Amino acid sequence: MKPINIGLLGIGTVGGGTYTVLKRNQEEIARRAGREIKVTMIADRDLDRARSFADHDVIVTDNAHEVTTHPDIDIVVELIGGQTIAKDLILEALAHGKHVVTANKALLANHGTEIFAAARAKGVIIAFEAAVAGGIPIIKALREGLTANRITWVAGIINGTSNFILSEMREKGLSFEQVLAEAQKLGYAETDPTYDIEGIDAAHKITLMSAIAFGIPVQFSKVYTEGITKLTGEDIRYAEQLGYRIKLLGITKRVEKGIELRVHPALIPVRRLIANVEGVMNAIVVKGDAVGATLYYGAGAGAEPTASSVIADLVDVTRLHTADPKYRVPPLSFQPDLLSDTPVIPMEDVETSYYLRMQVIDKPGVMAEITRTVAENNISISALIQKEPSSDSDRVSIIMLTHLTVEKNINAAIARIESLPVVTSKVIRIRIEELNN
């Protein structure tokens, strides 16, 4: 059979890794795909860089439209990122009947509905395994491996930069600012790390996983997003003493009122495997009604781990290249006309447990006043710890763990607590996720 011809848009870190792995494992990949998968065109603004990768018979251009419209290209691989030019190029490729493989999580989280509809209209495939968790095949697991299950929840450490920062803060006792600078020096964090440390990158990924897990449209605008910039070494140490680790989690859960969709730091019991995922590694737990909890662990970024997912998509598309479109697995697992209108519920209606820390004046009656305030907001306390004050201070830290309660109740309680004259600090609030239900 004639080779499948690939047009590669972008030959940066992931594009270069994709080209390298395809070339190195060419024979093995061809055996699995049933035919050769061959890059025949590369588009990149840096022509010298592109030529440094390309074999002599590969066409190199700085005009990406030449690739998306070329009649001999079967699959366009978009690895340039962003949400403007990349979107135009993907839609152009689809309009010309090309299958598309992309790692562009931000684009799909914001414009996936339009892009998936365009692919369906032309009877072609849009594949995006590399858009979530790098080399971990979580999209395939959700779309195919767990298709018999009614998914209950998905929770994941899906941003390596934030996980590295939290791991280093815990292990070395350094401040957030110190570890961020170290992460930037090591290349784990961008010069502008906002997407990573504010949870936006994780929100893109959990948006896609939620859509696949529950058969709902992609709805990035409805993700509750909270980053790690306000976490302190003090809370990380206290969490450890209480038997927890703090991780930035992307969570989506099916509950009676609808679908929860949120990203925020969370205390996870140390006995959970996911709590022990350290450094830049990623891990996702999926709970299904038939299979129970399953864990997926691996490198969430990097040239060759991400290339592994890109090439897995290329092999899948090659196998299905001539298949009847109506028998292919849809991008969001469920058939497009059977997507659910189950609502994403607002964060104030989410029910979970909480870690609260506050500083108060050390005098009789303070603890009773705080617990009474909490009880008046229908919150039940599971543990209450008062730290010893330092010898030169009349202030003391109180740490409170709650049972399950609704977010709006905890917000009301925090507002009341902070208004008390005996409370001398803002209340630190971190959610607790047991990940066992």
Side-chain angles (χ1 to χ4, degrees):
M1 299 178 73
K2 77 178 186 70
I4 286 287
N5 293 326
I6 305 301
L8 192 57
L9 306 182
I11 193 88
T13 300
V14 177
T18 299
Y19 192 92
T20 299
V21 175
L22 267 174
K23 186 175 179 179
R24 185 176 70 225
N25 297 338
Q26 185 175 29
E27 183 179 340
E28 190 79 2
I29 292 166
R31 286 174 58 205
R32 287 176 169 151
R35 62 205 295 186
E36 184 183 1
I37 298 175
K38 182 177 175 59
V39 175
T40 58
M41 293 186 75
I42 299 173
D44 197 283
R45 288 180 295 182
D46 189 337
L47 292 175
D48 290 337
R49 179 174 61 188
R51 292 188 183 109
S52 72
F53 281 94
D55 291 336
H56 70 278
D57 57 343
V58 176
I59 298 170
V60 174
T61 178
D62 59 2
N63 183 357
H65 298 284
E66 291 182 20
V67 176
T68 56
T69 60
H70 198 286
D72 293 336
I73 294 297
D74 300 302
I75 307 173
V76 171
V77 179
E78 182 275 309
L79 299 173
I80 60 176
Q83 297 184 54
T84 52
I85 295 171
K87 179 186 176 185
D88 294 340
L89 290 170
I90 286 176
L91 291 174
E92 183 175 66
L94 296 173
H96 282 80
K98 318 293 184 189
H99 304 292
V100 171
V101 171
T102 180
N104 198 328
K105 53 191 170 287
L107 177 61
L108 293 179
N110 283 283
H111 304 287
T113 300
E114 177 185 355
I115 290 169
F116 297 147
R120 185 188 187 201
K122 296 298 291 189
V124 292
I125 300 169
I126 177 88
F128 53 95
E129 183 67 69
V132 179
I136 303 173
I138 185 61
I139 300 300
K140 180 175 282 291
L142 288 169
R143 288 175 68 226
E144 299 173 42
L146 299 174
T147 193
N149 288 260
R150 179 178 171 84
I151 303 297
T152 307
W153 53 260
V154 180
I157 297 168
I158 46 180
N159 181 268
T161 300
S162 61
N163 200 49
F164 173 82
I165 291 171
L166 293 176
S167 297
E168 292 290 289
M169 288 176 69
R170 182 183 66 82
E171 290 177 8
K172 298 180 179 179
L174 300 175
S175 69
F176 172 83
E177 291 76 16
Q178 288 173 309
V179 180
L180 174 58
E182 180 186 355
Q184 290 171 320
K185 183 178 178 181
L186 292 170
Y188 295 149
E190 302 288 343
T191 304
D192 180 0
T194 303
Y195 269 40
D196 294 323
I197 63 176
E198 295 294 354
I200 300 168
D201 174 78
H204 289 145
K205 296 169 183 174
I206 199 66
T207 295
L208 296 173
M209 287 193 284
S210 180
I212 297 168
F214 303 122
I216 60 175
V218 290
Q219 299 174 74
F220 174 70
S221 64
K222 296 182 180 179
V223 186
Y224 172 83
T225 307
E226 181 182 320
I228 63 171
T229 56
K230 297 178 183 177
L231 294 176
T232 67
E234 190 175 10
D235 291 308
I236 290 173
R237 289 193 302 274
Y238 287 156
E240 193 81 8
Q241 292 168 16
L242 293 164
Y244 293 91
R245 296 264 168 86
I246 298 179
K247 298 292 183 181
L248 181 71
L249 288 183
I251 301 170
T252 186
K253 186 182 296 187
R254 190 200 305 265
V255 294
E256 186 177 345
K257 293 181 179 179
I259 304 296
E260 295 178 10
L261 188 52
R262 48 195 170 99
V263 172
H264 53 73
L267 274 71
I268 309 171
V270 172
R271 64 183 179 274
R272 305 282 178 232
L273 288 173
I274 194 171
N276 296 280
V277 173
E278 302 291 0
V280 296
M281 302 304 282
N282 281 197
I284 301 117
V285 181
V286 182
K287 179 72 177 293
D289 67 332
V291 74
T294 55
L295 174 69
Y296 306 84
Y297 168 87
E304 294 202 0
T306 308
S308 172
S309 290
V310 171
I311 295 166
D313 277 343
L314 289 174
V315 171
D316 272 356
V317 175
T318 298
R319 289 168 174 166
L320 298 169
H321 182 56
T322 58
D324 188 327
K326 66 185 178 185
Y327 295 120
R328 296 172 183 154
V329 181
L332 298 181
S333 184
F334 294 81
Q335 293 297 335
D337 56 343
L338 295 176
L339 290 180
S340 169
D341 59 358
T342 304
V344 173
I345 66 174
M347 191 64 196
E348 65 177 13
D349 291 334
V350 168
E351 185 180 64
T352 188
S353 304
Y354 295 85
Y355 159 104
L356 304 178
R357 178 174 64 84
M358 65 206 76
Q359 196 171 65
V360 303
I361 298 172
D362 185 22
K363 68 176 188 179
V366 171
M367 192 76 81
E369 193 170 2
I370 290 171
T371 55
R372 182 171 60 253
T373 301
V374 169
E376 288 171 353
N377 285 277
N378 299 313
I379 298 167
S380 174
I381 299 170
S382 66
L384 192 61
I385 302 166
Q386 179 174 316
K387 294 293 181 179
E388 289 296 323
S390 60
S391 58
D392 58 348
S393 174
D394 65 346
R395 304 291 191 269
V396 65
S397 290
I398 291 177
I399 297 158
M400 182 185 302
L401 304 184
T402 78
H403 289 294
L404 288 174
T405 190
V406 179
E407 177 98 358
K408 59 188 173 187
N409 289 354
I410 210 78
N411 289 340
I414 288 173
R416 287 276 307 280
I417 290 169
E418 290 180 342
S419 70
L420 296 174
V422 295
V423 177
T424 62
S425 70
K426 291 286 186 182
V427 176
I428 303 299
R429 183 237 353 241
I430 307 174
R431 297 164 188 88
I432 301 172
E433 295 295 332
E434 295 290 341
L435 302 184
N436 64 348
N437 57 339

